[in-house]
Amino acid sequence: MNRWLSERRRFLYWTPAILVAVLISLFSTHYFSGEETARVIIPVLHWLLPEASPRMLRLMHVGIRKMAHVGEFGLFSITVFHGIRGGRFGWRFHWALATLVIAVTYAGLDEWHQSFVPLREARARDVAIDALGAVLAQTLVWSYAKWRSNSPVLSEGLSDAKEK
């Protein structure tokens, strides 16, 4: 295969991770600060739960924001793993470890970026929450890879593909 096609294919494996990184950076702007998201989330929560106290609504808002950290860095972790794995099959510990290093480094850079953004602040706790999302996602990736490798139908298909 010529070099240009090989590099293009490698880039295509990394495209989802790049897009998720851009999305995370967008979420780090002042448009997604706690004050801004509260304008939308708290009224929706109040509509859904009219009996909830203002304190409870604020706590739920914080919980939703922290779960968003877990979700976005979980997705980032999965897409980075996809980029690292490339066209290869299965799961390798060093792929997962490299993925976690990249995800946690990006989480730190994201928080550092937020220290310069109006209405935002950097928090080590958020890096830890982002890391939790990445670890949980890698646990899912490992579980899925283990399940696929134990599936008789999928194992036969992989064996056939390797023989060709």
Side-chain angles (χ1 to χ4, degrees), residues 24 59 61-77 100 103-108 110-111 114 120-138:
I24 289 169
L59 287 173
H61 174 245
V62 169
I64 289 168
R65 289 179 55 80
K66 298 312 170 189
M67 289 305 296
H69 276 266
V70 171
E72 67 191 30
F73 274 87
L75 180 61
F76 183 61
S77 177
L100 292 173
V104 172
T105 300
Y106 194 72
D110 180 53
E111 290 301 314
Q114 287 182 32
R120 303 302 299 255
E121 57 186 298
R123 292 188 175 138
R125 179 183 67 213
D126 285 346
V127 174
I129 292 168
D130 297 341
L132 173 66
V135 168
L136 291 173
Q138 285 310 297

Side-chain angles (χ1 to χ4, degrees), residues 42-65:
I42 290 181
V44 170
L45 289 172
H46 182 67
W47 179 75
L48 292 170
L49 305 163
E51 306 300 320
S53 69
R55 182 177 187 279
M56 182 55 69
L57 293 173
R58 284 192 305 276
L59 287 173
M60 287 189 285
H61 174 245
V62 169
I64 289 168
R65 289 179 55 80

Side-chain angles (χ1 to χ4, degrees), residues 96-113:
L97 186 60
T99 295
L100 292 173
V101 168
I102 291 169
V104 172
T105 300
Y106 194 72
L109 289 171
D110 180 53
E111 290 301 314
W112 179 67
H113 164 254

Side-chain angles (χ1 to χ4, degrees), residues 12 18-19 28 31 36-37 47 49 53 62 67 88 102-103 105 108 110 132 135 146 153 156:
L12 290 175
I18 293 166
L19 293 174
S28 293
Y31 297 110
E36 293 296 326
T37 59
W47 179 75
L49 305 163
S53 69
V62 169
M67 289 305 296
R88 299 169 289 192
I102 291 169
T105 300
D110 180 53
L132 173 66
V135 168
K146 187 167 177 58
V153 173
E156 289 172 14

